[in-house]
Amino acid sequence: MVRRHIISLLMENEAGALSRVAGLFSARAYNIESLTVAPTEDATLSRMTIVTVGSEDIIEQITKQLNKLVDVIKVMDLTEGAHIERELMLVKVKAVGVGRDEMKRTSDIFRGRIIDVTEATYTIELTGAGSKLDAFLEAIDSASIIETVRTGASGIGRGERSLKV
Amino acid sequence: MYQNSGVLVVYRKAVHGDSRIALFLFTWWQKGFLFFRMGIRKRPFYRDFLTKTGQNDYPLRSTNELIYCQFMEATGAEIVVRCLAEEGVEFVFGYPGGAVLNIYDEIFKQDKFKHVLVRHEQAAVHAADAYARSTGRVGVALVTSGPGVTNAVTGIATAYMDSVPIVVVTGQVPTPAIGLDAFQEVDTVGITRPCVKHNFLVKDVKDLAATMKKAFIIAATGRPGPVVVDVPKDVTAHITDFIYPDTVEMRSYNPVVKGHSGQLKRAVQMLLDAKRPMVYAGGGVVLGDAAEQLVELARLLGFPVTNTLMGLGGYPATDKQNLGMLGMHGTYEANMAMQHCDVLLAVGARFDDRVIGSPAHFAREQRSIIHVDVDPSSISKRVKVDVPIVGDVKNVLTDMLALLKQAKDRPDAGALNAWWAQIELWRSRNCLKYNKQSPIIKPQYVVEKLWEVTKGDAFITSDVGQHQMWAAQYYKFDKPRRWINSGGLGTMGVGLPYAMGVQLAHPEAQVACITGESSIQMCIQELSTCKQYRIPVKIVTLNNRYMGMVRQWQEFFYGSRYAESYMESLPDFVKLAEAYGHVGMRIDKPEDVEAALKEAFSPALKERLVFMDFQTDQTENVFPMVEGGKGLSEMILAEEL
């Protein structure tokens, strides 16, 4: 069954580390929906969250191939257990006339924050699972959207479940 | 190269004043060493020093023992050369160029290893690869930046596909010039990334020694493979303290060595319960030096064995239990037994498309599969397995043997006899028979005669195509590491450089390169290298004036439209060989084949390269054959055409 998986991994924070992962996905024709990466509290480590879609066999191969990369320290499929997923989106929207109040209300409903304002625009910051961000974009008038930027999902295990060296 | 070196002596206070130290220092002073730092240092200093060089701790061998390390301020180029010497490298295959001139200058000054100047960088990597395949040690190649690297890529990819441990040191433009489209600049780490086990760009000379150590460790352990170390020219000139660490810890790299004991028990029980067992042994058995354990296991159980192309020699070919090679051009008996067995033990093999054909067809028959491999990602990649065992093949087979010897059960003799009776029936098809009465030289006949003349004890390298398959089918390899070919990538042109690497590693051995008139031309320039280093390999060219395997597919699948597969304007190979100072022979008749081979391998020509140009049957095809995408048991046999 083809499902969406969130794979978390820890790797050495070295030059070219990202390209090894990205290259692996393209060379082996695996899907990649989003990929986020940044150093952890230990600056020698990078934590990466990859959202991918595939059958169980493919996901098994993806985790094995990722583990095989010499720079990769640990790999975990977050979707195998309870987990939390968050994504940040910044949306610049037209905010004029009656639409201006309506936009503010919709943003509030989605717990968005308006972080920049001009006479004609709002820039809204919104955090949540990818589906919530999608829902927000559905809820507002698509013609009012000037620009969107999304970080891709970051994920972490629930409870005691953790990924560390 | 030691002019600017010093000696760091570190020892515990227990030996303070020990005369051995004085003697030691005196000896080094006598040898003309200049001491930069001398005196007694405490362990913490030493520890800092080692940490700086990428090592966390250094074990004191004993409290009273003198601990010392040769310590010197060295340039990056000296460090590269010293590291190679420390690794016990015998040969470096390479080609100089701007970015590696500092390294070559250090090579000039040393005598620890021999540098072999090839005529094209691709051959350098192939020769290093063959050195590694035939000895089990890490092969080393050295090339310059830019075109040196791009030429080497084919060699690196070849080694990667066949999991061969090599270290390739590549020159790079100076660090300030990286990214500025400098002369002979190429993104080496980027360009080689998909075809190496790992690669490094060394930007700081302080990291160089530890990186070299890592490269050798990564290349040789786990599933072996090529490692590239890219060294910018300015780094080869920079100076730092040099120490070569004994080992380097890598938290992200810990290949599994031992098989899981629970899985081992399950596997052993499965083998003992088998009615129609089969052992399928791949290149991992050869690379993992597990041939001895495989033979013991197969003989203990009385099970049939098949080898993959990469695994030939892993189980003796002349042994009755060996069914020959399996796969696209495997024997009838091996492919049938593979398809119809009920328990399959796969060892160091990866069920690739040339071996099992269509996975769907393969899965039609019910069978339980035990898969032993050092690389977890090889398991359940193309075929679902029942008992995966990740570990070093030699360790796993050793553990399996111990369990089998303890076990009270034995395989069901009746069932095994019935299975062998079935296999013998398949074997009686004699699928490798060919027309021995032909007035034109049959390529198979040449290989058979080569086997006889060399008493089955030669190292055989091959290129890629029909001749490669005939070599695999008709030269019966009884020992591992004797069959050197490009199985995974299928690189035409490897044969001659492979033969060079093997012959240099085994100067007394008979080395033959079975090739075709098309393949040999892809690295023909190496005849010059063979001349320079007096490498007396014997080249057996099965010359049918066609890219034979391409022609065969065009005959079968493209209505005999031989598009661009005829080799026009071939050189006179005898004259060509002579032009390079070698011995050339042209053989036109079957009755002359044996005499030519005997002459080539005679003591009179022991020191000479002999180029034998056998004019073989243009229409001969490789059988049996499983068409691409077909099932393993759907073979075309010679008699059926």
Side-chain angles (χ1 to χ4, degrees):
Chain A
M1 194 183 67
V2 175
R3 271 180 52 212
R4 177 173 177 270
H5 290 255
I6 303 171
I7 294 168
S8 261
L9 64 94
L10 276 176
M11 66 192 302
E12 297 288 354
N13 184 14
E14 277 173 15
L18 173 63
S19 73
R20 290 184 204 280
V21 173
L24 170 68
F25 274 74
S26 64
R28 295 192 181 267
Y30 302 140
N31 288 306
I32 194 160
E33 286 205 339
S34 73
L35 188 157
T36 66
V37 60
T40 65
E41 78 284 359
D42 172 353
T44 66
L45 289 175
S46 274
R47 167 102 178 213
M48 201 177 280
T49 309
I50 303 164
V51 179
T52 182
V53 172
S55 63
E56 292 301 315
D57 292 351
I58 297 283
I59 300 299
E60 184 185 333
Q61 266 298 310
I62 290 175
T63 52
K64 281 175 170 176
Q65 293 290 350
L66 285 170
N67 263 313
K68 201 163 121 177
L69 293 176
V70 169
D71 281 341
V72 169
I73 300 169
K74 273 194 179 159
V75 180
M76 184 161 84
D77 183 355
L78 284 178
T79 28
E80 271 178 359
H83 64 281
I84 302 159
E85 168 193 350
R86 287 292 180 272
E87 182 175 354
L88 171 71
M89 174 168 70
L90 303 178
V91 201
K92 187 169 290 181
V93 290
K94 287 181 202 150
V96 282
V98 277
R100 194 170 170 95
D101 282 352
E102 178 61 23
M103 188 60 75
K104 171 84 170 69
R105 277 194 295 275
T106 316
S107 168
D108 287 344
I109 291 167
F110 281 86
R111 303 211 173 101
R113 295 200 307 148
I114 295 167
I115 53 173
D116 188 44
V117 180
T118 68
E119 278 178 17
T121 66
Y122 282 150
T123 299
I124 302 167
E125 172 196 317
L126 205 62
T127 312
S131 53
K132 173 182 154 182
L133 307 188
D134 294 341
F136 176 75
L137 294 176
E138 295 267 312
I140 60 176
D141 175 10
S142 63
S144 67
I145 301 172
I146 299 168
E147 186 183 357
T148 64
V149 54
R150 298 171 68 150
T151 59
S154 285
I156 198 163
R158 273 197 188 275
E160 302 290 306
R161 201 164 171 240
S162 67
L163 183 68
K164 55 195 276 191
V165 177
Chain B
M1 66 175 286
Y2 299 113
Q3 281 88 344
N4 61 346
S5 60
V7 174
L8 171 73
V9 179
V10 181
Y11 60 97
R12 299 273 264 197
K13 58 178 182 281
V15 288
H16 185 71
D18 191 317
S19 60
R20 281 182 299 166
I21 295 160
L23 184 66
F24 172 77
L25 294 175
F26 180 68
T27 321
W28 284 80
W29 175 75
Q30 261 193 326
K31 287 182 187 167
F33 284 82
L34 189 68
F35 293 93
F36 277 104
R37 292 170 205 188
M38 210 169 74
I40 301 152
R41 305 277 192 181
K42 294 226 170 79
R43 191 172 156 81
F45 164 79
Y46 191 45
R47 189 190 290 266
D48 286 352
F49 174 65
L50 290 168
T51 310
K52 258 199 307 185
T53 58
Q55 208 183 352
N56 294 327
D57 199 6
Y58 193 85
L60 281 172
R61 284 167 196 147
S62 83
T63 38
N64 284 336
E65 197 187 350
L66 172 73
I67 306 294
Y68 67 88
C69 56
Q70 282 163 249
F71 165 69
M72 59 186 210
E73 286 195 322
T75 64
E78 280 179 281
I79 291 174
V80 169
V81 168
R82 282 296 305 270
C83 291
L84 296 175
E86 292 276 345
E87 283 294 332
V89 170
E90 284 183 283
F91 295 102
V92 171
F93 300 90
Y95 204 105
V100 284
L101 279 175
N102 290 333
I103 299 175
Y104 270 87
D105 196 42
E106 292 307 322
I107 288 177
F108 187 84
K109 297 178 198 162
Q110 62 84 47
D111 58 0
K112 292 277 197 284
F113 56 80
K114 192 171 166 67
H115 180 272
V116 178
L117 175 68
V118 294
R119 300 306 189 255
H120 186 285
E121 287 89 348
Q122 181 185 342
V125 183
H126 288 328
D129 167 344
Y131 174 88
R133 290 181 201 235
S134 68
T135 62
R137 295 196 288 272
V138 178
V140 178
L142 171 60
V143 300
T144 194
S145 65
V149 170
T150 53
N151 281 346
V153 165
T154 300
I156 296 168
T158 304
Y160 180 65
M161 285 294 269
D162 290 343
S163 309
V164 181
I166 57 170
V167 169
V168 181
V169 178
T170 58
Q172 182 55 279
V173 301
T175 39
I178 290 178
L180 301 180
D181 303 321
F183 177 65
Q184 293 196 326
E185 180 184 1
V186 76
D187 173 10
T188 301
V189 164
I191 221 168
T192 59
R193 196 195 60 231
C195 59
V196 293
K197 183 167 173 188
H198 199 58
N199 56 20
F200 298 95
L201 168 62
V202 184
K203 285 187 177 159
D204 186 340
V205 70
K206 291 190 177 66
D207 299 332
L208 187 53
T211 304
M212 289 294 286
K213 187 75 219 181
K214 283 182 190 172
F216 275 87
I217 293 172
I218 292 169
T221 54
R223 180 176 181 174
V227 179
V228 167
V229 183
D230 196 27
V231 191
K233 188 169 185 182
D234 56 334
V235 172
T236 64
H238 292 161
I239 293 171
T240 189
D241 296 343
F242 170 65
I243 183 173
Y244 196 59
D246 283 348
T247 187
V248 178
E249 283 295 314
M250 285 170 276
R251 59 181 169 181
S252 62
Y253 179 72
N254 294 296
V256 179
V257 182
K258 293 287 270 183
H260 185 275
S261 61
Q263 294 292 75
L264 276 164
K265 280 185 194 131
R266 278 181 64 199
V268 164
Q269 197 52 51
M270 212 175 250
L271 291 173
L272 292 171
D273 293 341
K275 303 271 188 271
R276 301 187 309 280
M278 180 71 174
V279 181
Y280 152 51
V285 172
V286 177
L287 288 166
D289 291 317
E292 201 183 305
Q293 287 73 16
L294 176 73
V295 170
E296 195 182 344
L297 183 118
R299 293 213 174 123
L300 182 72
L301 292 167
F303 287 0
V305 182
T306 180
N307 287 128
T308 66
L309 179 69
M310 292 309 297
L312 294 178
Y315 191 91
T318 52
D319 188 284
K320 197 90 177 94
Q321 276 170 248
N322 193 325
L323 308 189
M325 182 171 79
L326 84 166
M328 183 173 266
H329 295 295
T331 65
Y332 185 70
E333 53 271 30
N335 285 350
M336 292 302 275
M338 185 79 178
Q339 184 72 9
H340 296 286
C341 64
D342 72 337
V343 173
L344 180 64
L345 173 62
V347 191
R350 58 187 177 91
F351 295 90
D352 85 87
D353 54 305
R354 286 295 189 266
V355 166
I356 59 150
S358 150
H361 184 277
F362 187 65
R364 275 189 213 164
E365 306 290 331
Q366 275 287 317
R367 67 177 87 67
S368 305
I369 301 176
I370 303 158
H371 191 177
V372 183
D373 205 293
V374 74
D375 177 6
S377 73
S378 282
I379 295 177
S380 290
K381 185 166 70 176
R382 296 191 79 237
V383 167
K384 275 273 159 209
V385 307
D386 303 277
V387 184
I389 303 176
V390 178
D392 180 80
V393 166
K394 188 174 187 163
N395 287 338
V396 172
L397 289 184
T398 306
D399 292 348
M400 234 180 223
L401 272 166
L403 288 173
L404 278 168
K405 284 175 186 164
Q406 285 166 21
K408 288 185 212 76
D409 302 352
R410 284 296 107 183
D412 178 347
L416 200 54
N417 285 339
W419 176 230
W420 270 111
Q422 172 63 67
I423 289 170
E424 291 305 335
L425 208 62
W426 287 326
R427 182 141 50 187
S428 68
R429 292 285 289 264
N430 196 11
C431 66
L432 294 180
K433 64 175 177 280
Y434 63 91
N435 178 11
K436 296 198 184 187
Q437 262 57 60
S438 165
I440 308 166
I441 299 175
K442 287 287 181 184
Q444 301 95 323
Y445 177 72
V446 179
V447 178
E448 278 192 336
K449 283 292 156 197
L450 177 65
W451 181 72
E452 283 174 29
V453 168
T454 57
K455 300 183 175 63
D457 200 33
F459 286 83
I460 304 291
T461 74
S462 92
D463 272 300
V464 171
Q466 284 185 321
H467 67 268
Q468 178 191 23
M469 291 300 114
W470 286 317
Q473 290 174 330
Y474 294 91
Y475 198 98
K476 300 182 196 72
F477 294 94
D478 280 340
K479 293 179 191 162
R481 300 195 182 277
R482 293 300 174 107
W483 166 236
I484 314 290
N485 84 127
S486 167
L489 196 67
T491 310
M492 285 171 73
V494 293
L496 181 54
Y498 271 1
M500 289 169 11
V502 174
Q503 186 79 75
L504 285 166
H506 308 271
E508 291 307 311
Q510 297 179 328
V511 180
C513 164
I514 299 179
T515 180
E517 80 296 327
S518 307
S519 281
I520 190 68
Q521 294 190 87
M522 284 210 185
C523 270
I524 194 87
Q525 76 285 346
E526 296 309 313
L527 286 174
S528 175
T529 311
C530 293
K531 172 69 177 167
Q532 182 177 347
Y533 298 95
R534 296 165 199 243
I535 303 173
V537 300
K538 314 300 178 211
I539 299 171
V540 178
T541 308
L542 305 177
N543 183 348
N544 60 2
R545 282 78 71 203
Y546 273 103
M547 291 161 217
M549 192 59 93
V550 173
R551 195 206 62 82
Q552 177 169 343
W553 283 54
Q554 287 171 334
E555 180 188 330
F556 289 6
F557 313 124
Y558 294 90
S560 298
R561 292 182 298 281
Y562 299 126
E564 302 297 323
S565 58
Y566 183 69
M567 265 286 149
E568 292 278 357
S569 307
L570 280 173
D572 178 336
F573 285 115
V574 174
K575 279 192 186 151
L576 184 75
E578 286 167 1
Y580 279 106
H582 302 306
V583 178
M585 294 179 184
R586 181 183 158 116
I587 303 97
D588 294 282
K589 296 199 283 287
E591 56 269 31
D592 297 335
V593 168
E594 190 168 357
L597 287 167
K598 278 187 172 156
E599 191 191 343
F601 284 97
S602 68
L605 294 179
K606 188 167 190 295
E607 307 295 323
R608 304 294 298 277
L609 183 148
V610 183
F611 194 121
M612 285 163 275
D613 182 15
F614 291 95
Q615 303 296 309
T616 60
D617 189 347
Q618 292 190 290
T619 61
E620 191 58 49
N621 288 320
V622 182
F623 294 111
M625 180 174 183
V626 180
E627 277 180 49
K630 284 275 174 73
L632 200 49
S633 55
E634 302 173 316
M635 282 164 277
I636 311 171
L637 298 180
E639 69 214 50
E640 288 164 3
L641 286 170

